Amino acid sequence: MSEQNTLDLRATVLTAFQNQFGNNATFLARAPGRVNIIGEHTDYNDGFVLPAAIQQGIYIAGRARDDVQVNLHSLDFHDKASFSLDQLKDDSLPAWTRFLRGALWILTQECEDLRGLDLTIAGNVPGGGGFSSSAAVEVAMMEICSGLFGIKLTQREKALLGVQVEHKFIGVRTGVMDQMISALGEADHAVLLDCRSLETRSVPIPAGVSLLACDTMKRRELVTSEYGKRREQCEEASRILGVKALRDVTPEQLAANADKLPEIILKRATHVVNENARTLQVVDALGTGDLATVGKLINEGHTSLSKLYEVSIHELDVMADIAQHTEGVIGARMMGGGFGGAVIALVYDEAADSFAAAVKQKYDAATGLNSIIHRTKSGAGSSVEKL
Ligand code: GLA
């Protein structure tokens, strides 16, 4: 994931559109993937998260049509697909069109102005690594359609429409984190998001700190069914405790009511309640430059996800353990939904290269897999430009 690559991609998508459709694109949209510093499995509990948009993302070049025909052209899949706006739910169409069709379907429910369109799509977010490439596709689609059809949407509305794609079209009840940070990211900052009020606060990433995403190259399995189960267990905990969401419970209140919850529900709730507290503590510690506390809380977050929330797997535990014990580290933990994907490590700049080399060498030797350690940089949220 390099910056050079990102600049090239913009030009590549525009040229490919021209070649494919014999005409210039009129709008270009871009939406980034993300990393998450802390606040995992808290978003659907109305809690706090601290993600950062990355510089890599999805680019879509587009041009509106006068009919209801949709022509999609994917550079990553080396494929094309054509269908009409009333065929958006046709699952015999290629699998790579699913999130794109989902975004169009949600927009057809929301506004009457949608017509056909020609689109070329490409991205440089590593798929399946837990960098939220699908949320980036959804938000990029909201951007390009808002440009092409003059649909007035705020960044929050674009993000929430992206979440609707997951809930109503894909059938996964995700939280709001991925789409919100894709739409609202900021260069050199992480964003503290209150997933209940949707208020955001920019949190500067301290100078001298690098964000390394250590991809285990173990691809996610089970994630959809286990994700749904975790969400139901949290809802059960809230019901028993008589609160709207686990956001409303402090660690002290949970301890005082522990005997009311079945063992497994208590484990899940303990993770969420403590993770919310950890997220706010990390924000405070970043503010005062107390990186030792930041690191300790991030490492605790991993143990909690692994032992209490049980969304880690062997490879993520191995990667987190290696990263936590490699020179230059501040803290490291698994990132995203779990069951595969990447570990996020905060590392001192001057140690970043040697850290990346050492972690890769140790992890690959321990697992026989070919990990990729990405040096990410936080970047701006999504946008659309008129060409
Ligand atoms: C996935 C979901 C997010 C969030 C994370 C876990 O990335 O899309 O909404 O729940 O898992 O923190």
Side-chain angles (χ1 to χ4, degrees):
M1 298 205 289
S2 72
E3 281 173 49
Q4 182 57 36
N5 197 349
T6 298
L7 292 176
D8 289 349
L9 200 53
R10 182 183 182 282
T12 305
V13 172
L14 290 175
T15 310
F17 183 98
Q18 233 282 331
N19 294 340
Q20 177 64 32
F21 298 108
N23 216 333
N24 287 327
T26 56
F27 282 87
L28 179 81
R30 180 198 147 271
R34 62 113 182 89
V35 290
N36 187 20
I37 293 177
I38 194 158
E40 217 66 85
H41 289 276
T42 47
D43 62 352
Y44 53 83
N45 288 296
D46 279 3
F48 299 98
V49 293
L50 186 64
I54 56 176
Q55 292 186 335
Q56 292 70 26
I58 304 292
Y59 285 78
I60 304 181
R63 191 177 180 98
R65 299 176 57 91
D66 291 328
D67 54 19
V68 291
Q69 181 75 9
V70 178
N71 298 313
L72 304 179
H73 167 220
S74 165
L75 292 182
D76 299 330
F77 290 92
H78 307 285
D79 200 10
K80 291 175 281 187
S82 292
F83 48 91
S84 93
L85 274 181
D86 49 32
Q87 261 183 292
L88 294 172
K89 286 211 149 176
D90 179 353
D91 278 331
S92 66
L93 289 162
W96 63 264
T97 65
R98 208 157 151 243
F99 288 93
L100 302 159
R101 285 187 282 117
L104 291 171
W105 185 79
I106 287 292
L107 281 171
T108 57
Q109 313 296 299
E110 296 291 320
C111 75
E112 289 165 0
D113 302 331
L114 213 73
R115 302 193 310 276
L117 67 184
D118 295 336
L119 302 178
T120 293
I121 303 114
N124 55 1
V125 189
F131 301 100
S132 294
S133 51
S134 13
V137 169
E138 293 155 5
V139 174
M141 281 297 284
M142 299 310 159
E143 292 286 3
I144 196 79
C145 291
S146 71
L148 291 175
F149 303 114
I151 310 169
K152 296 248 171 307
L153 295 170
T154 64
Q155 291 309 94
R156 275 179 180 66
E157 286 168 340
K158 289 170 195 165
L160 294 180
L161 286 169
V163 177
Q164 291 305 309
V165 178
E166 298 284 345
H167 290 195
K168 296 190 179 156
F169 193 88
I170 305 293
V172 186
R173 291 172 66 216
T174 60
V176 296
M177 168 170 71
D178 306 342
Q179 292 80 0
M180 281 291 285
I181 190 63
S182 183
L184 291 160
E186 224 187 290
D188 301 323
H189 288 75
V191 174
L192 173 66
L193 169 67
D194 177 335
C195 297
R196 174 170 279 166
S197 67
L198 298 188
E199 271 166 30
T200 55
R201 186 169 125 201
S202 301
V203 177
I205 296 176
V209 174
S210 291
L211 301 175
L212 271 70
C214 312
D215 190 342
T216 59
M217 292 310 273
K218 187 78 187 169
R219 286 305 172 236
R220 284 172 293 171
E221 285 161 25
L222 282 175
V223 68
T224 308
S225 60
E226 289 296 328
Y227 189 93
K229 261 193 229 162
R230 295 300 177 283
R231 189 163 178 157
E232 282 163 21
Q233 290 166 335
C234 292
E235 286 164 357
E236 192 180 337
S238 300
R239 252 193 319 275
I240 299 174
L241 295 169
V243 291
K244 182 160 176 281
L246 285 177
R247 147 72 174 274
D248 300 310
V249 181
T250 63
E252 296 72 31
Q253 286 165 340
L254 185 61
N257 290 282
D259 56 352
K260 294 188 187 144
L261 302 176
E263 194 188 337
I264 195 158
I265 304 293
L266 177 61
K267 281 168 80 175
R268 307 301 190 239
T270 304
H271 165 74
V272 173
V273 168
N274 291 343
E275 183 82 349
N276 273 328
R278 274 192 290 270
T279 303
L280 296 176
Q281 287 161 14
V282 164
V283 171
D284 287 345
L286 283 170
T288 59
D290 180 1
L291 295 181
T293 298
V294 170
K296 181 174 156 284
L297 292 163
I298 287 177
N299 293 349
E300 282 173 17
H302 182 83
T303 308
S304 178
L305 286 162
S306 180
K307 300 277 188 283
L308 296 176
Y309 217 63
E310 295 177 286
V311 290
S312 188
I313 52 167
H314 173 70
E315 289 78 2
L316 284 168
D317 287 343
V318 170
M319 183 65 97
D321 184 58
I322 290 172
Q324 287 172 4
H325 294 97
T326 297
E327 206 177 322
V329 75
I330 296 166
R333 58 170 205 90
M334 61 151 278
M335 168 178 95
F339 300 100
V343 159
I344 178 81
L346 271 63
V347 178
Y348 290 105
D349 273 352
E350 63 273 15
D353 290 341
S354 61
F355 174 93
V359 167
K360 177 172 173 53
Q361 193 265 323
K362 288 189 248 177
Y363 173 86
D364 291 6
T367 59
L369 292 167
N370 188 12
S371 61
I372 303 181
I373 317 295
H374 301 281
R375 212 172 158 164
T376 65
K377 220 172 156 358
S378 59
S382 62
S383 56
V384 62
E385 61 180 294
K386 191 173 179 347
L387 300 167

